Amino acid sequence: MQKIAVLTSGGDSPGMNAAIRSVARTCAYHKIECVGVFRGYEGLIDGDFVPLDARSVRGIINKGGTFLKSARSKRFMTPEGRAEAYKQLMASDIDGIVLIGGDGTFTGGLVFNSEYDFPVMGIPGTIDNDINGTDRTLGYDTALNTAVEAIDKIRDTAHSHDRLFFVEVMGRDVGHIALNAGVGAGAEEILIPEEDMGIDRLVESLERSKKSGKSSSIVIVAEGDKIGKSVFELKDYVDQNLEEYDVRVSVLGHMQRGGSPTCYDRVLASRMGVKAVEALLEGQSNFMVGTTHDKMTLTPLEKAIKGESKINKELIRVSDIMTT
Ligand code: F6P
């Protein structure tokens, strides 16, 4: 293997730049070439490549986003798009590719490998932490800290005005951010897609909380929560059914995907980049690098995608006890 490409695809996450830097520097360390691909699979199809040496990735370890840019490519989902991508890789003498992204990115990589037997290695980059085979995905720690910081600020104003706030955090299918940021910020209730607490239990809990003397409350709602009501509908429901509450809504949104990565994510990105390149050099393919109990691991891409990312039930209990 003489030349390795790296791309970022799907929703971006803090730490992607640090991972690109690590891939480029590990290639330089092993005296092989590295190529960056712009706009994920889109750039692969268009041959939009840039040579990356050790110095060309300076000054980016602390930067949010991804300087290679990211995209969700419809063209790569077609056999014609993948054929074009393969042609571009061959034309540039590229021998393997590191894919930084989430399950959609890995699914694309698996299909590509099955058609062209082209070596692929995944790095889990998503704030959602919804990938099997790693303790944490890249960017999750930063997103958690961003969410907690924002919720702390909302608590200040909630307290001043004796208000109830519904705060929506990201997590289309999973509640990792909601659950952990909720416990970390001392939320009254946490609504996650994995547990349908039902609107009645929420109302009961809010009534209890009012009676116990709490004047302000924060309820964290994952965007994929199963009660089936958006934060705005939840506000309307409480407005109509619990008149004693003065309710406001805050949707944290994409601010959770941006910002300078935490030290944890920078270190994780550096470790994952080294492991990904060295696994390719050892002749491995179709794996995702990750950490399990802080040791670097390789998980088959198929398992990483299909596996259920399990919510920590103990945290749900901790949250319940904390709101006594
Ligand atoms: O995949 C991460 C994620 O942030 C989800 O939590 C969220 O639902 C989604 O991306 C938003 O994606 P987009 O930026 O395409 O709207």
Side-chain angles (χ1 to χ4, degrees), residues 20-85:
I20 298 164
R21 169 184 181 267
S22 174
V23 168
R25 295 227 165 134
T26 308
C27 287
Y29 177 84
H30 287 286
K31 306 206 178 341
I32 61 167
E33 285 180 72
C34 184
V35 165
V37 180
F38 285 107
R39 298 173 291 111
Y41 290 123
E42 284 291 290
L44 206 55
I45 294 167
D46 296 336
D48 197 359
F49 303 155
V50 61
L52 296 179
D53 63 19
R55 295 285 72 77
S56 60
V57 289
R58 69 164 70 113
I60 62 168
I61 192 168
N62 57 338
K63 299 279 191 290
T66 159
F67 87 93
L68 287 178
K69 299 186 182 288
S70 191
R72 292 190 168 110
S73 174
K74 290 221 166 65
R75 285 193 292 162
F76 197 72
M77 291 178 190
T78 66
E80 296 75 25
R82 293 191 294 273
E84 197 48 46

Side-chain angles (χ1 to χ4, degrees), residues 11-12 72 126-128 130 170-172 177 223 254 257:
D12 64 348
R72 292 190 168 110
T126 163
I127 64 163
D128 288 345
D130 59 347
M170 274 189 166
R172 200 170 15 205
I177 295 181
E223 59 178 336
H254 286 77
R257 285 234 301 252

Side-chain angles (χ1 to χ4, degrees), residues 4-316:
I4 288 178
V6 56
L7 62 76
T8 48
S9 161
D12 64 348
S13 69
M16 281 185 162
N17 277 324
I20 298 164
R21 169 184 181 267
S22 174
V23 168
R25 295 227 165 134
T26 308
C27 287
Y29 177 84
H30 287 286
K31 306 206 178 341
I32 61 167
E33 285 180 72
C34 184
V35 165
V37 180
F38 285 107
R39 298 173 291 111
Y41 290 123
E42 284 291 290
L44 206 55
I45 294 167
D46 296 336
D48 197 359
F49 303 155
V50 61
L52 296 179
D53 63 19
R55 295 285 72 77
S56 60
V57 289
R58 69 164 70 113
I60 62 168
I61 192 168
N62 57 338
K63 299 279 191 290
T66 159
F67 87 93
L68 287 178
K69 299 186 182 288
S70 191
R72 292 190 168 110
S73 174
K74 290 221 166 65
R75 285 193 292 162
F76 197 72
M77 291 178 190
T78 66
E80 296 75 25
R82 293 191 294 273
E84 197 48 46
Y86 183 69
K87 239 195 255 168
Q88 295 288 1
L89 286 166
M90 291 301 101
S92 293
D93 295 323
I94 294 167
D95 306 308
I97 187 158
V98 176
L99 309 168
I100 308 175
D103 52 358
T105 307
F106 296 161
T107 304
L110 266 180
V111 174
F112 189 64
N113 174 274
S114 71
E115 289 172 345
Y116 296 100
D117 196 23
F118 192 85
V120 298
M121 193 59 59
I123 290 181
T126 163
I127 64 163
D128 288 345
N129 205 34
D130 59 347
I131 302 282
N132 231 26
T134 188
D135 294 334
R136 284 174 169 227
T137 55
L138 198 54
Y140 172 60
D141 185 66
T142 307
L144 270 187
N145 283 291
T146 302
V148 165
E149 201 183 323
I151 300 162
D152 283 349
K153 289 176 180 167
I154 291 168
R155 181 178 291 290
D156 290 344
T157 174
H159 187 66
S160 304
H161 290 268
D162 289 340
R163 279 177 173 159
L164 163 65
F165 267 83
F166 285 106
V167 181
E168 186 189 280
V169 297
M170 274 189 166
R172 200 170 15 205
D173 306 310
V174 288
H176 294 292
I177 295 181
L179 192 54
N180 283 272
V183 170
E188 195 58 41
E189 284 292 348
I190 303 167
L191 310 185
I192 54 175
E194 292 85 347
E195 299 260 311
D196 183 357
M197 89 181 295
I199 191 83
D200 296 336
R201 236 196 81 198
L202 174 66
V203 168
E204 273 167 34
S205 158
L206 291 173
E207 275 171 342
R208 247 195 337 270
S209 148
K210 199 66 167 181
K211 280 191 195 125
S212 76
K214 287 187 187 168
S215 56
S216 65
S217 292
I218 305 278
V219 175
I220 305 296
V221 186
E223 59 178 336
D225 169 56
K226 290 284 182 298
I227 285 186
K229 294 191 185 298
S230 74
V231 270
F232 297 99
E233 289 167 329
L234 284 171
K235 172 186 164 19
D236 289 346
Y237 192 87
V238 173
D239 279 345
Q240 282 157 21
N241 293 280
L242 292 170
E243 278 170 11
E244 61 273 36
Y245 273 108
D246 183 16
V247 191
R248 294 291 185 276
V249 163
S250 183
V251 177
L252 300 190
H254 286 77
M255 68 178 288
Q256 295 160 96
R257 285 234 301 252
S260 179
T262 56
C263 181
Y264 182 94
D265 275 330
R266 297 180 199 190
V267 173
L268 186 65
S270 305
R271 295 174 75 190
M272 284 179 165
V274 171
K275 182 75 179 172
V277 170
E278 293 189 341
L280 279 173
L281 291 178
E282 284 162 12
Q284 314 257 31
S285 177
N286 286 5
F287 285 100
M288 179 198 80
V289 304
T291 61
T292 305
H293 306 308
D294 205 35
K295 294 263 179 307
M296 296 310 295
T297 49
L298 291 178
T299 300
L301 279 181
E302 208 161 9
K303 217 170 141 196
I305 299 163
K306 289 203 181 126
E308 292 233 321
S309 99
K310 292 166 204 76
I311 210 77
N312 185 350
K313 298 258 184 208
E314 183 234 353
L315 262 190
I316 298 178

